[in-house]
Amino acid sequence: MEPEILMSTDVFSAMRQSIIDGAPDTASSLAQQAIAAGTAPLEAIDKGYVPGMQDVGEQFARGQMFLPDMMASAEAMRSAMSILDPALRKLGAERPMAGTVVLGTTKGDIHEIGKILVGTLLTAHGFLVHDLGVDVAGEKFAAKARELNADIIGVSALLTTTMRNQKAVIDALEQSGLRSQVKVMVGGAPVTRRWADEIGADGYAPNAMSAVALARELMQQKQEAMPLHI
Ligand code: B12
């Protein structure tokens, strides 16, 4: 194996380990080194940090890790993201506005890392993103969409018990008469395309990069549905 390839593989596995160890300082200093070495921030996330999070989830499910460990891992992930986020956002700064997205995690759910990543990549690709945070009720999504005249609402859910609150967002849009104007995309680890269809969402994406492709597709659908102004 070429030495360069070996080196980058080592860096990615150190990133993964920093998440498993719940070591914020190591996680951020590896992110700094990666940026200085010209590694694409998305590659560091995909090949280093996210696999670390997946590993943590599996260990938690097997009873080999406990809640405080998972919290420390989340802190390490946030620390790495604080370095990578500005580098990702810079990409979107000069692009024309692709659309307005209101983003949030469903009511009862405080998982935010995946949602933040989706928001960062949407911003990096020219979308104007308003992140409502976590534990957000359907009515709040609808009210913010009305206020900003948003094109898309993105709803994240990480728990099987809070997935159904994604449907509550769609219900709130219907109740406020906004459903035909706003596209809804859903995501989060337990969410599937089938679930998205079942609740009447306009789209589902399994990760942040495909969320960008989906948002672009939804914008196109919106534009095609718009009556011509002559
Ligand atoms: C970190 C973590 C936590 C942290 C969250 C910290 C934070 N600030 O976010 C803390 C410690 C707080 C936590 C708490 C809990 N957690 Co937790 N957690 C995780 C863990 C390990 C990682 C989640 C994560 O950040 N992944 C990394 C990101 C990048 O991936 P992601 O979230 O899937 O996002 C990607 C895609 O899904 C997609 N996406 C995400 N959102 C959206 C939105 C849209 C619109 C689109 C298009 C795409 C999209 O794109 C993202 C980027 O690629 C997962 C395990 C796992 N593998 O998912 C468990 C996990 C989700 N948690 C779990 C549990 C049980 C809990 C607790 C109930 C534990 C407890 N006993 O208290 C609590 C719940 C608290 C609550 N009310 O929400 C279970 C859920 C089981 C289930 N089936 O419901 C999991 C699966 C662990 C397990 N294997 O058992 N957790």
Side-chain angles (χ1 to χ4, degrees), residues 53 57 61 70-71 78 108 110-114 156 159-160 188 206 208:
M53 264 334 223
M70 204 151 74
M71 287 168 84
R78 264 203 300 266
I110 60 164
H111 294 85
E112 63 179 353
I113 295 166
S156 183
L159 300 171
T160 42

Side-chain angles (χ1 to χ4, degrees), residues 67-157:
L67 198 55
D69 307 314
M70 204 151 74
M71 287 168 84
S73 296
E75 193 47 48
M77 183 80 185
R78 264 203 300 266
S79 175
M81 282 302 292
S82 71
I83 307 294
L84 299 172
D85 190 273
L88 279 167
R89 279 171 194 271
K90 229 188 267 168
L91 298 169
E94 304 104 37
R95 295 176 194 228
M97 226 264 282
T100 301
V101 182
V102 170
L103 201 60
T105 303
T106 55
K107 181 130 197 70
D109 196 326
I110 60 164
H111 294 85
E112 63 179 353
I113 295 166
K115 169 198 58 99
I116 291 174
L117 204 48
V118 169
T120 300
L121 283 206
L122 284 171
T123 307
H125 288 84
F127 284 87
L128 189 67
V129 177
H130 186 93
D131 190 339
L132 288 171
V134 296
D135 188 21
V136 184
E139 296 72 26
K140 210 166 161 191
F141 277 101
K144 190 49 86 176
R146 185 188 294 282
E147 182 193 323
L148 300 179
N149 194 17
D151 300 296
I152 300 172
I153 288 181
V155 195
S156 183

